[in-house]
Each structure stands twice: as C-alpha cells, then as structure tokens.
Amino acid sequence: MGKKKTAAKPQEIRVPAHPAGLKVSAGILERLERHSFAIAIALVLVASARIAATYTVFNHTFDEPAHIACGMEWLDKGTYTLEPQHPPLARVAVALGPYLVGSRTLGPPHGKSPIFTAGQEILDSGHHYDLTLALARLAVLPFFWVACAVVYGWGKRYFSAAIGVLALALFSFLPPVLAHAGLATTDMALTAFLGASFLSGMIWLEEPTRAHALWFGAATGLVILSKFSCLVYLPAAAGAGLLWYFVAERPAMSGLTRGLAGRLAQLGMAVLVACLIVWAGYRFSFGKVYFANLHLPAPELYAGIKQVMDHNAEGHTGYLLGVRRTTGFWYFYEVALAVKTPLAFLFLMGFGIVLACRKQASLRRLYVPLAFSAAILLVGAFSHINIGIRHVLPIYMGFSLLAAVALVRLLASGDTRRWIHGALAVLLLWFAGSSLLSHPDYLPYFNELAGSQPEKILVDSDLDWGQDLKRLGARLREVNAPSVAFVISLVADLPGEFGFPPVRGFRPSVPDRGWNAVSVSMWKEQRLGLGDTYLDAPLWPDRAMELQGQPGVPQPERIGKSILLWYFPPK
C-alpha cells in the first residue's frame, strides 16, 4: 500500500507438456483465456433465460408485495414512509415496471399488514397479475448482471481470464443465486453492489486515481441504498482482507503511512460521492431525525437503520433442524450453506480454501475472496434474524472464485494420472446437472444431504416462501375439491388469483375430513398459526408423517416443493 502500484498482473496458467490428458486441459484453458469475454456473455444470457422462465411459474413470495408497495410510494407519491427498514434502490426498481404499465398506490395503508396489503392491491389491479409480477421481477435482472460482472472482473484482474469465466460459470449456475435473481426483493441488489464496492475499493487502494475513487464511492453509495446489512458486511469484509494482508505481506509501516496520507483527499471524494448518491436515493429529502433535535438530509435513512437494529434486537422466529428460536442460531448460515449448495461446488470450494491457506506466491491473492466471504459468514453468526441463506447471498461471489481457482489447479495439475481429470469431469457434470434439474425450483433447492424431507432442516425463504399457491390452486381444480382446509401467512386473494375453492378454517390438532393443505413454513416455523402458544399441543401433520406407510393412513402429495396435500375421506 506504500507506493503506487500498477495493475495486478493476472496469474499465468502454465501446464506441463504431456501427450495425454494434460494437453487437452491446456487447450481448454487456452480457449477460455482467448474467448473469456464471449463465453461470459453467453453464460449470463443462459442464466438470464433460466431466471426469466420462472417469473410466471410461481406466485408472489412473502416479501415481494411489500417491496413493490414501498417502491410505488416513492414513484407515485414522492415519499418513502411506508416502511424504511429497507433502503429504496431495489424497491424503486421493482416498482418501476408496474408503474410504467399504469399501476399506482390505490389508497392509504390499511389492514393488519399495511405494506403487504398495499402491494397485493397493486398486483391485483388491472387484472394482469402475472404481467405486473413479471415486470417487477424483471427489474432484478440488471442487479444479477452487475454481480456476474464483478465475479468475472475480480477473477480476471487478480488471477486470469480463465479463472474469471469459470468463476462466473459456477456463480451463475448456483440455484440460490438463480432463485433470488428471479424475485422482486433486495437480496440480489445487495450481492451485486457489495461485491462492486469491495472490488472497486481494492482497485482504488492499488491504483489511487480519481476515477477509481469515484467508482468506489458510487458503488458504496449504491450498496447502502440496497440493504442496510452492508453497513456491517462491508467493514467486516474489508477488515478481514486488510488483517490478512498485514499478516501475509508484513508491509513496512513507513510506506503504509505515506500511502494512506496520499489517499486521504481521494477517500474524502469517494465519501462525498457515496453520500450524494444515498441522498439522491431518498429524493434529497431533509427533515428531523429521531435521535436528536436536528434536521438532516435523508431522515428516512436513519429511521431505517434504527428499525433494522430494533428488529435484530427483538429477534425473529427462525427454524433450524427442528428447533424454533427467536434469537437466532450462530451456526444457521453454515448449515444452510452445507445443504443449499451443490455438493460438487462445496468440494471445489473446500479445495480452494486449502489453496488459499498455502504460502505460495501464485496464490497470494486468493486470501482476499476467502476473507470477503468468511467475514460475511462470521457476521451472520451474530444475527438474530435467521430466515434464509439469502441474507448472506454475497458469500457465493468469493466462494465461486475459490472454487474456480481450485478447478484450474486440478485441470493444470502436473499429475499424469488420468483419473484426476475423469473425476473432475464427473464433478462438473454433477454440478451442472444438479443445477439444471432443479429448474424452475431454484428457491427450494437442497442438495443430497437434505434427504427427502428438507423441512426437517430449514423452511422459510430457503424452502417455502409461499411460492407454490398457483400450483396448489391448479391441483385442487384438477381433483374438483369442493373446499380445502388451509392456513397461510401470505397476503393473497386465493380464489381470485389462484382459483382456489372455498377455504375452510384449519385445525392444528385434528385434520378435517376432505382436503387439507399444509404449508411447511406454517407447519414447522409458525406451528400452524399457534406460534408460541400451546407449545405442548400436538400438531396432526407431525403424527401423519410419522405414520406414513401404515395401512389406512392417507399419504400426502407434495405440491411443488413446499406444500403437502392430504385427503381424509368421510367416515
């Protein structure tokens, strides 16, 4: 950091000459190097098509109406007061498409869940529910493109073009990434701009030019407008990277002091740019803040940060491995990573972590993506809001780079045993196949470790976010169900939107005669509406699942991945 550095030279990939498989590997890597940009564009287009194909398969998930409603308020009313817990960037983006086709805020907030009700009314208005929802989801695609550009650019700059394009291939095939790139929420925006801020910050530290400082400030402002968890993730990732740098490189303190002094003016410029972008995101509002008798720019920003802090302090009902808890689980995201990520990717990622811990000159940059992802996971251990791997989705950027380096190392191995390359081919086919076969159910994807009942491990936005109501409605029409006992927490017009028959009240202890539908999140996390009351009361789906296979016990049909449907005949 002391002297001004030139651009990082990418790691050269050298493969020993060998008449067998190594020449093939060298040819593959050479083609990846030569055509990396064209391959990257093709990968992004393929992933975008896969994402867009899911838009009309699933109905809205739990959070989407709220984000649409808040973004619509910003566009339609010029205010941002419905719920400031999330900043406006992604919300305005997802509301823009519906706004352009004529949707508007229909009235003042009302009901028990006003932001969800307001969003539901927007989706229902005009009688083009599927179009409105698809337009909202389409706005998240550019955030996915930014995330892909960051992964590719990071790999190409600090390793090689081949590693950059392989990291992009791995990242764009991950089911959790595809899932949240296809929903009108804030998680993909956070992923894109957290990576962009971190990468642009690295580049600026190495090449302290005004242009790089401006890029760093702009990306940081955009990530603050994406999701407030960045206010913890970004310092943690930067701190972990710098700590590892000091330990690994042991730079001279005199050089560091001169380097920091020379960058202060540009850092101030970056901070100013970030502040202006954040203020613009709040429409240059100015008003009284909650913590003092002062009027400051963007008072909604401070109110939103306070809401997030209060939410985390109060906790949120979460579920993991059969246990419900409001204070979170320190190991929640590690378990989610283990069962929500394709096993082939986990193997490559693990080998990449081993490489990052080696003291080799060619691998000296590998600790940075590891520090980035590990820091986010570490912060997640202290969170009291454990409702989905989506909250740490940026970890897949750093882990994709680790896996790509591991993949290239295996391809370029000097070992003459062909079985290594054969095993690697099987691994890649396994990874690609698990991703392709999961279409369109990227959200509820679990790897082989989860077994046939993943609801024993995780629910909520990892499995059941309310996305299968359209499928349930279609199935009930197929069987001519006269009515159904069902309870959901999702705000939805079941008969009007999804063609449900009349919905009966649901009894948690005894099933009704006839059709009974059970959402696994409502069952496992919300205890079929009982919540924290009557904790000793038995739930009939528990008994029904225990008795599966016994004579005379009706077997459930799984609708999509997240709803169980039983039929109990009349006595």
Side-chain angles (χ1 to χ4, degrees), residues 82-133:
L82 276 177
E83 192 235 36
Q85 186 173 175
H86 296 280
L89 177 63
R91 288 175 152 185
V92 173
V94 301
L96 182 59
Y99 180 84
L100 292 176
V101 296
S103 297
R104 296 292 185 272
T105 302
L106 298 182
H110 62 279
K112 293 182 180 180
S113 304
I115 56 173
F116 297 95
T117 303
Q120 184 62 46
E121 290 173 347
I122 292 170
L123 288 172
D124 291 339
S125 64
H127 305 290
H128 40 68
Y129 170 89
D130 283 338
L131 174 63
T132 303
L133 184 58

CSV table of all heavy atoms in Angstrom, one decimal, residues 82-133:
chain,number,residue,atom,x,y,z
A,82,LEU,N,-43.7,4.3,4.1
A,82,LEU,CA,-44.5,3.0,4.5
A,82,LEU,C,-43.7,2.1,5.4
A,82,LEU,O,-44.2,1.6,6.4
A,82,LEU,CB,-44.9,2.3,3.2
A,82,LEU,CG,-46.1,2.7,2.5
A,82,LEU,CD1,-46.3,1.9,1.2
A,82,LEU,CD2,-47.3,2.6,3.4
A,83,GLU,N,-42.4,1.9,5.0
A,83,GLU,CA,-41.5,1.1,5.8
A,83,GLU,C,-40.1,1.3,5.4
A,83,GLU,O,-39.6,0.9,4.4
A,83,GLU,CB,-41.9,-0.4,5.6
A,83,GLU,CG,-41.2,-1.3,6.7
A,83,GLU,CD,-40.3,-2.4,6.0
A,83,GLU,OE1,-39.7,-2.2,5.0
A,83,GLU,OE2,-40.3,-3.5,6.6
A,84,PRO,N,-39.3,2.1,6.2
A,84,PRO,CA,-38.0,2.4,5.9
A,84,PRO,C,-36.9,1.4,6.2
A,84,PRO,O,-35.7,1.7,6.1
A,84,PRO,CB,-37.7,3.7,6.6
A,84,PRO,CG,-38.6,3.6,7.9
A,84,PRO,CD,-39.8,2.8,7.4
A,85,GLN,N,-37.3,0.2,6.7
A,85,GLN,CA,-36.4,-0.8,7.2
A,85,GLN,C,-35.4,-1.2,6.1
A,85,GLN,O,-34.3,-1.7,6.3
A,85,GLN,CB,-37.1,-2.0,7.8
A,85,GLN,CG,-36.2,-3.0,8.4
A,85,GLN,CD,-36.9,-4.1,9.2
A,85,GLN,OE1,-36.3,-5.1,9.6
A,85,GLN,NE2,-38.2,-4.0,9.2
A,86,HIS,N,-35.9,-1.1,4.8
A,86,HIS,CA,-35.0,-1.4,3.7
A,86,HIS,C,-34.9,-0.2,2.9
A,86,HIS,O,-35.9,0.6,2.7
A,86,HIS,CB,-35.7,-2.5,2.8
A,86,HIS,CG,-35.8,-3.8,3.5
A,86,HIS,ND1,-34.7,-4.7,3.7
A,86,HIS,CD2,-36.8,-4.4,4.2
A,86,HIS,CE1,-35.1,-5.8,4.4
A,86,HIS,NE2,-36.4,-5.6,4.7
A,87,PRO,N,-33.7,0.1,2.4
A,87,PRO,CA,-33.5,1.3,1.6
A,87,PRO,C,-34.2,1.2,0.2
A,87,PRO,O,-34.6,0.1,-0.2
A,87,PRO,CB,-32.0,1.4,1.4
A,87,PRO,CG,-31.5,0.1,1.7
A,87,PRO,CD,-32.4,-0.6,2.6
A,88,PRO,N,-34.3,2.3,-0.6
A,88,PRO,CA,-35.2,2.3,-1.7
A,88,PRO,C,-34.7,1.8,-3.0
A,88,PRO,O,-35.5,1.6,-3.9
A,88,PRO,CB,-35.5,3.8,-1.8
A,88,PRO,CG,-34.3,4.5,-1.3
A,88,PRO,CD,-33.8,3.6,-0.2
A,89,LEU,N,-33.4,1.5,-3.2
A,89,LEU,CA,-32.9,1.3,-4.6
A,89,LEU,C,-33.7,0.1,-5.3
A,89,LEU,O,-34.3,0.3,-6.3
A,89,LEU,CB,-31.4,1.0,-4.6
A,89,LEU,CG,-30.8,0.6,-5.9
A,89,LEU,CD1,-30.9,1.8,-6.9
A,89,LEU,CD2,-29.3,0.2,-5.7
A,90,ALA,N,-33.6,-1.1,-4.7
A,90,ALA,CA,-34.2,-2.3,-5.3
A,90,ALA,C,-35.7,-2.1,-5.3
A,90,ALA,O,-36.4,-2.6,-6.3
A,90,ALA,CB,-33.8,-3.5,-4.6
A,91,ARG,N,-36.3,-1.5,-4.3
A,91,ARG,CA,-37.7,-1.4,-4.2
A,91,ARG,C,-38.3,-0.5,-5.3
A,91,ARG,O,-39.3,-0.8,-6.0
A,91,ARG,CB,-38.1,-0.8,-2.8
A,91,ARG,CG,-37.9,-1.8,-1.7
A,91,ARG,CD,-38.2,-1.2,-0.4
A,91,ARG,NE,-38.7,-2.2,0.6
A,91,ARG,CZ,-39.1,-1.9,1.8
A,91,ARG,NH1,-39.1,-0.7,2.2
A,91,ARG,NH2,-39.6,-2.9,2.6
A,92,VAL,N,-37.6,0.6,-5.6
A,92,VAL,CA,-38.0,1.5,-6.7
A,92,VAL,C,-37.8,0.8,-8.0
A,92,VAL,O,-38.7,0.9,-8.9
A,92,VAL,CB,-37.2,2.8,-6.7
A,92,VAL,CG1,-37.5,3.6,-7.9
A,92,VAL,CG2,-37.5,3.6,-5.4
A,93,ALA,N,-36.8,0.0,-8.2
A,93,ALA,CA,-36.5,-0.7,-9.4
A,93,ALA,C,-37.7,-1.7,-9.7
A,93,ALA,O,-38.2,-1.8,-10.8
A,93,ALA,CB,-35.2,-1.5,-9.3
A,94,VAL,N,-38.1,-2.5,-8.6
A,94,VAL,CA,-39.1,-3.5,-8.9
A,94,VAL,C,-40.5,-2.9,-9.0
A,94,VAL,O,-41.4,-3.5,-9.6
A,94,VAL,CB,-39.2,-4.5,-7.7
A,94,VAL,CG1,-37.8,-5.2,-7.6
A,94,VAL,CG2,-39.6,-3.9,-6.4
A,95,ALA,N,-40.7,-1.6,-8.6
A,95,ALA,CA,-42.0,-1.0,-8.8
A,95,ALA,C,-42.1,-0.2,-10.1
A,95,ALA,O,-43.2,0.1,-10.6
A,95,ALA,CB,-42.2,0.0,-7.6
A,96,LEU,N,-40.9,0.0,-10.8
A,96,LEU,CA,-40.9,0.8,-12.0
A,96,LEU,C,-41.7,0.1,-13.1
A,96,LEU,O,-42.5,0.8,-13.8
A,96,LEU,CB,-39.4,1.0,-12.4
A,96,LEU,CG,-39.2,1.9,-13.6
A,96,LEU,CD1,-39.8,3.3,-13.4
A,96,LEU,CD2,-37.8,2.0,-14.0
A,97,GLY,N,-41.5,-1.1,-13.3
A,97,GLY,CA,-42.3,-1.8,-14.4
A,97,GLY,C,-43.8,-1.7,-14.2
A,97,GLY,O,-44.5,-1.3,-15.1
A,98,PRO,N,-44.3,-2.1,-13.0
A,98,PRO,CA,-45.7,-1.9,-12.8
A,98,PRO,C,-46.2,-0.5,-12.9
A,98,PRO,O,-47.3,-0.2,-13.4
A,98,PRO,CB,-45.9,-2.4,-11.4
A,98,PRO,CG,-44.8,-3.4,-11.2
A,98,PRO,CD,-43.6,-2.9,-12.0
A,99,TYR,N,-45.3,0.4,-12.5
A,99,TYR,CA,-45.7,1.9,-12.6
A,99,TYR,C,-45.8,2.3,-14.1
A,99,TYR,O,-46.8,3.0,-14.4
A,99,TYR,CB,-44.6,2.7,-11.9
A,99,TYR,CG,-44.9,4.2,-12.0
A,99,TYR,CD1,-45.7,4.8,-11.0
A,99,TYR,CD2,-44.2,5.0,-12.9
A,99,TYR,CE1,-45.9,6.2,-11.0
A,99,TYR,CE2,-44.4,6.4,-13.0
A,99,TYR,CZ,-45.3,7.0,-12.0
A,99,TYR,OH,-45.5,8.3,-12.1
A,100,LEU,N,-45.0,1.8,-14.9
A,100,LEU,CA,-45.0,2.2,-16.3
A,100,LEU,C,-46.2,1.6,-17.1
A,100,LEU,O,-46.6,2.1,-18.1
A,100,LEU,CB,-43.7,1.7,-17.0
A,100,LEU,CG,-42.4,2.5,-16.6
A,100,LEU,CD1,-41.2,1.9,-17.3
A,100,LEU,CD2,-42.5,4.0,-16.9
A,101,VAL,N,-46.8,0.5,-16.6
A,101,VAL,CA,-48.0,0.0,-17.2
A,101,VAL,C,-49.2,0.4,-16.5
A,101,VAL,O,-50.3,-0.1,-16.8
A,101,VAL,CB,-47.9,-1.6,-17.3
A,101,VAL,CG1,-46.8,-2.1,-18.1
A,101,VAL,CG2,-47.9,-2.2,-15.9
A,102,GLY,N,-49.1,1.4,-15.6
A,102,GLY,CA,-50.3,2.1,-15.1
A,102,GLY,C,-50.6,1.8,-13.7
A,102,GLY,O,-51.6,2.3,-13.1
A,103,SER,N,-49.9,0.9,-13.0
A,103,SER,CA,-50.2,0.6,-11.6
A,103,SER,C,-49.9,1.8,-10.7
A,103,SER,O,-48.9,2.5,-11.0
A,103,SER,CB,-49.4,-0.6,-11.1
A,103,SER,OG,-49.8,-1.8,-11.8
A,104,ARG,N,-50.6,2.0,-9.7
A,104,ARG,CA,-50.4,3.1,-8.7
A,104,ARG,C,-50.8,2.7,-7.3
A,104,ARG,O,-51.4,1.6,-7.1
A,104,ARG,CB,-51.3,4.3,-9.1
A,104,ARG,CG,-51.0,5.0,-10.5
A,104,ARG,CD,-49.6,5.6,-10.4
A,104,ARG,NE,-49.3,6.4,-11.7
A,104,ARG,CZ,-48.8,5.8,-12.8
A,104,ARG,NH1,-48.4,4.5,-12.8
A,104,ARG,NH2,-48.5,6.5,-13.8
A,105,THR,N,-50.4,3.5,-6.4
A,105,THR,CA,-50.8,3.2,-5.0
A,105,THR,C,-52.3,3.5,-4.9
A,105,THR,O,-52.8,4.6,-5.3
A,105,THR,CB,-50.1,4.2,-4.0
A,105,THR,OG1,-48.6,3.9,-4.2
A,105,THR,CG2,-50.5,3.9,-2.6
A,106,LEU,N,-53.1,2.6,-4.4
A,106,LEU,CA,-54.5,2.6,-4.5
A,106,LEU,C,-55.2,3.4,-3.4
A,106,LEU,O,-56.4,3.7,-3.5
A,106,LEU,CB,-55.1,1.2,-4.7
A,106,LEU,CG,-54.7,0.5,-5.9
A,106,LEU,CD1,-55.3,-0.9,-6.0
A,106,LEU,CD2,-55.0,1.3,-7.2
A,107,GLY,N,-54.5,3.5,-2.3
A,107,GLY,CA,-55.1,4.2,-1.2
A,107,GLY,C,-54.2,4.2,0.0
A,107,GLY,O,-53.1,3.7,0.0
A,108,PRO,N,-54.7,4.8,1.2
A,108,PRO,CA,-53.9,4.8,2.4
A,108,PRO,C,-53.7,3.4,2.9
A,108,PRO,O,-54.5,2.5,2.7
A,108,PRO,CB,-54.7,5.7,3.3
A,108,PRO,CG,-56.1,5.6,2.9
A,108,PRO,CD,-56.0,5.4,1.4
A,109,PRO,N,-52.5,3.2,3.6
A,109,PRO,CA,-52.3,1.8,4.2
A,109,PRO,C,-53.4,1.4,5.1
A,109,PRO,O,-54.0,2.2,5.8
A,109,PRO,CB,-51.0,2.0,4.9
A,109,PRO,CG,-50.3,3.2,4.3
A,109,PRO,CD,-51.5,4.1,3.9
A,110,HIS,N,-53.7,0.1,5.1
A,110,HIS,CA,-54.8,-0.4,5.9
A,110,HIS,C,-54.6,-1.9,6.2
A,110,HIS,O,-53.7,-2.5,5.5
A,110,HIS,CB,-56.2,-0.2,5.3
A,110,HIS,CG,-56.4,-0.9,4.0
A,110,HIS,ND1,-55.9,-0.4,2.8
A,110,HIS,CD2,-56.9,-2.1,3.7
A,110,HIS,CE1,-56.2,-1.2,1.8
A,110,HIS,NE2,-56.8,-2.3,2.3
A,111,GLY,N,-55.3,-2.4,7.1
A,111,GLY,CA,-55.2,-3.9,7.4
A,111,GLY,C,-54.1,-4.1,8.4
A,111,GLY,O,-53.4,-3.2,8.9
A,112,LYS,N,-54.0,-5.4,8.8
A,112,LYS,CA,-53.1,-5.8,9.8
A,112,LYS,C,-51.6,-5.7,9.3
A,112,LYS,O,-50.7,-5.5,10.1
A,112,LYS,CB,-53.3,-7.3,10.3
A,112,LYS,CG,-54.6,-7.4,11.0
A,112,LYS,CD,-54.8,-8.9,11.5
A,112,LYS,CE,-56.1,-9.1,12.2
A,112,LYS,NZ,-56.3,-10.5,12.7
A,113,SER,N,-51.4,-5.9,8.0
A,113,SER,CA,-50.1,-5.8,7.4
A,113,SER,C,-50.2,-4.8,6.3
A,113,SER,O,-50.3,-5.2,5.1
A,113,SER,CB,-49.7,-7.2,6.9
A,113,SER,OG,-49.7,-8.1,7.9
A,114,PRO,N,-50.2,-3.5,6.6
A,114,PRO,CA,-50.5,-2.5,5.5
A,114,PRO,C,-49.6,-2.5,4.3
A,114,PRO,O,-50.1,-2.4,3.2
A,114,PRO,CB,-50.4,-1.2,6.3
A,114,PRO,CG,-49.6,-1.5,7.5
A,114,PRO,CD,-49.9,-2.9,7.9
A,115,ILE,N,-48.3,-2.7,4.5
A,115,ILE,CA,-47.4,-2.7,3.3
A,115,ILE,C,-47.7,-3.9,2.4
A,115,ILE,O,-47.6,-3.8,1.2
A,115,ILE,CB,-45.9,-2.6,3.7
A,115,ILE,CG1,-45.5,-3.7,4.6
A,115,ILE,CG2,-45.6,-1.2,4.3
A,115,ILE,CD1,-44.0,-3.7,4.8
A,116,PHE,N,-48.0,-5.0,3.0
A,116,PHE,CA,-48.3,-6.2,2.3
A,116,PHE,C,-49.6,-6.1,1.6
A,116,PHE,O,-49.8,-6.5,0.4
A,116,PHE,CB,-48.2,-7.5,3.2
A,116,PHE,CG,-46.9,-7.7,3.8
A,116,PHE,CD1,-46.6,-7.3,5.0
A,116,PHE,CD2,-45.9,-8.4,3.1
A,116,PHE,CE1,-45.4,-7.5,5.6
A,116,PHE,CE2,-44.7,-8.6,3.6
A,116,PHE,CZ,-44.4,-8.2,4.9
A,117,THR,N,-50.6,-5.6,2.3
A,117,THR,CA,-51.9,-5.4,1.6
A,117,THR,C,-51.8,-4.4,0.5
A,117,THR,O,-52.4,-4.6,-0.6
A,117,THR,CB,-52.9,-4.8,2.7
A,117,THR,OG1,-53.0,-5.8,3.8
A,117,THR,CG2,-54.3,-4.7,2.1
A,118,ALA,N,-51.0,-3.3,0.7
A,118,ALA,CA,-50.9,-2.3,-0.4
A,118,ALA,C,-50.2,-2.9,-1.6
A,118,ALA,O,-50.6,-2.7,-2.8
A,118,ALA,CB,-50.1,-1.1,0.1
A,119,GLY,N,-49.2,-3.8,-1.4
A,119,GLY,CA,-48.6,-4.4,-2.5
A,119,GLY,C,-49.5,-5.4,-3.2
A,119,GLY,O,-49.5,-5.5,-4.4
A,120,GLN,N,-50.3,-6.1,-2.4
A,120,GLN,CA,-51.2,-7.1,-3.0
A,120,GLN,C,-52.2,-6.4,-3.9
A,120,GLN,O,-52.6,-6.8,-5.0
A,120,GLN,CB,-51.9,-7.8,-1.9
A,120,GLN,CG,-52.9,-8.9,-2.4
A,120,GLN,CD,-52.1,-10.0,-3.1
A,120,GLN,OE1,-51.1,-10.4,-2.7
A,120,GLN,NE2,-52.6,-10.4,-4.3
A,121,GLU,N,-52.7,-5.2,-3.5
A,121,GLU,CA,-53.7,-4.4,-4.3
A,121,GLU,C,-53.0,-4.0,-5.6
A,121,GLU,O,-53.7,-3.9,-6.6
A,121,GLU,CB,-54.2,-3.2,-3.5
A,121,GLU,CG,-55.1,-3.6,-2.3
A,121,GLU,CD,-55.4,-2.5,-1.4
A,121,GLU,OE1,-54.8,-1.4,-1.5
A,121,GLU,OE2,-56.3,-2.6,-0.5
A,122,ILE,N,-51.7,-3.6,-5.5
A,122,ILE,CA,-51.1,-3.2,-6.8
A,122,ILE,C,-51.0,-4.4,-7.7
A,122,ILE,O,-51.2,-4.3,-8.9
A,122,ILE,CB,-49.7,-2.7,-6.5
A,122,ILE,CG1,-49.8,-1.4,-5.7
A,122,ILE,CG2,-48.8,-2.5,-7.7
A,122,ILE,CD1,-48.4,-0.9,-5.1
A,123,LEU,N,-50.7,-5.6,-7.2
A,123,LEU,CA,-50.6,-6.8,-8.1
A,123,LEU,C,-51.9,-7.2,-8.7
A,123,LEU,O,-52.0,-7.6,-9.8
A,123,LEU,CB,-50.0,-8.0,-7.3
A,123,LEU,CG,-48.5,-7.9,-6.9
A,123,LEU,CD1,-48.2,-9.1,-5.9
A,123,LEU,CD2,-47.7,-8.0,-8.1
A,124,ASP,N,-53.0,-7.0,-7.9
A,124,ASP,CA,-54.3,-7.3,-8.4
A,124,ASP,C,-54.9,-6.3,-9.3
A,124,ASP,O,-55.9,-6.6,-10.0
A,124,ASP,CB,-55.3,-7.5,-7.2
A,124,ASP,CG,-54.9,-8.8,-6.4
A,124,ASP,OD1,-54.2,-9.7,-6.9
A,124,ASP,OD2,-55.3,-8.9,-5.2
A,125,SER,N,-54.5,-5.1,-9.2
A,125,SER,CA,-55.1,-4.0,-10.0
A,125,SER,C,-54.9,-4.2,-11.5
A,125,SER,O,-53.8,-4.7,-11.9
A,125,SER,CB,-54.5,-2.6,-9.6
A,125,SER,OG,-53.2,-2.5,-9.9
A,126,GLY,N,-55.9,-3.9,-12.3
A,126,GLY,CA,-55.8,-4.1,-13.7
A,126,GLY,C,-56.0,-5.5,-14.3
A,126,GLY,O,-56.0,-5.7,-15.5
A,127,HIS,N,-56.2,-6.4,-13.3
A,127,HIS,CA,-56.4,-7.8,-13.7
A,127,HIS,C,-55.4,-8.4,-14.6
A,127,HIS,O,-55.6,-9.2,-15.6
A,127,HIS,CB,-57.8,-7.9,-14.4
A,127,HIS,CG,-58.9,-7.4,-13.6
A,127,HIS,ND1,-59.4,-8.0,-12.4
A,127,HIS,CD2,-59.7,-6.3,-13.7
A,127,HIS,CE1,-60.4,-7.3,-11.9
A,127,HIS,NE2,-60.6,-6.2,-12.6
A,128,HIS,N,-54.1,-8.0,-14.4
A,128,HIS,CA,-53.0,-8.6,-15.1
A,128,HIS,C,-51.9,-9.0,-14.1
A,128,HIS,O,-50.8,-8.4,-14.2
A,128,HIS,CB,-52.5,-7.7,-16.2
A,128,HIS,CG,-52.4,-6.3,-15.9
A,128,HIS,ND1,-51.5,-5.8,-15.0
A,128,HIS,CD2,-53.1,-5.2,-16.4
A,128,HIS,CE1,-51.6,-4.5,-14.9
A,128,HIS,NE2,-52.6,-4.1,-15.8
A,129,TYR,N,-52.3,-9.8,-13.2
A,129,TYR,CA,-51.4,-10.2,-12.0
A,129,TYR,C,-50.0,-10.7,-12.5
A,129,TYR,O,-49.0,-10.3,-12.1
A,129,TYR,CB,-52.1,-11.2,-11.2
A,129,TYR,CG,-51.2,-11.9,-10.1
A,129,TYR,CD1,-51.1,-11.4,-8.9
A,129,TYR,CD2,-50.5,-13.1,-10.4
A,129,TYR,CE1,-50.3,-12.0,-7.9
A,129,TYR,CE2,-49.7,-13.7,-9.5
A,129,TYR,CZ,-49.6,-13.1,-8.2
A,129,TYR,OH,-48.9,-13.7,-7.3
A,130,ASP,N,-50.1,-11.7,-13.5
A,130,ASP,CA,-48.8,-12.3,-13.9
A,130,ASP,C,-47.9,-11.3,-14.6
A,130,ASP,O,-46.7,-11.3,-14.4
A,130,ASP,CB,-49.1,-13.4,-14.9
A,130,ASP,CG,-49.6,-14.7,-14.2
A,130,ASP,OD1,-49.3,-14.8,-13.0
A,130,ASP,OD2,-50.2,-15.5,-14.9
A,131,LEU,N,-48.5,-10.4,-15.4
A,131,LEU,CA,-47.7,-9.3,-16.1
A,131,LEU,C,-47.1,-8.4,-15.1
A,131,LEU,O,-45.9,-8.1,-15.1
A,131,LEU,CB,-48.5,-8.6,-17.1
A,131,LEU,CG,-47.9,-7.4,-17.7
A,131,LEU,CD1,-46.7,-7.8,-18.6
A,131,LEU,CD2,-48.9,-6.6,-18.6
A,132,THR,N,-47.8,-7.9,-14.1
A,132,THR,CA,-47.3,-7.0,-13.1
A,132,THR,C,-46.2,-7.6,-12.3
A,132,THR,O,-45.2,-7.0,-12.1
A,132,THR,CB,-48.5,-6.6,-12.2
A,132,THR,OG1,-49.5,-6.0,-12.9
A,132,THR,CG2,-48.0,-5.5,-11.2
A,133,LEU,N,-46.4,-8.9,-11.9
A,133,LEU,CA,-45.4,-9.5,-11.1
A,133,LEU,C,-44.1,-9.8,-11.9
A,133,LEU,O,-43.0,-9.6,-11.4
A,133,LEU,CB,-45.9,-10.9,-10.5
A,133,LEU,CG,-45.0,-11.6,-9.6
A,133,LEU,CD1,-44.6,-10.8,-8.4
A,133,LEU,CD2,-45.7,-12.9,-9.2
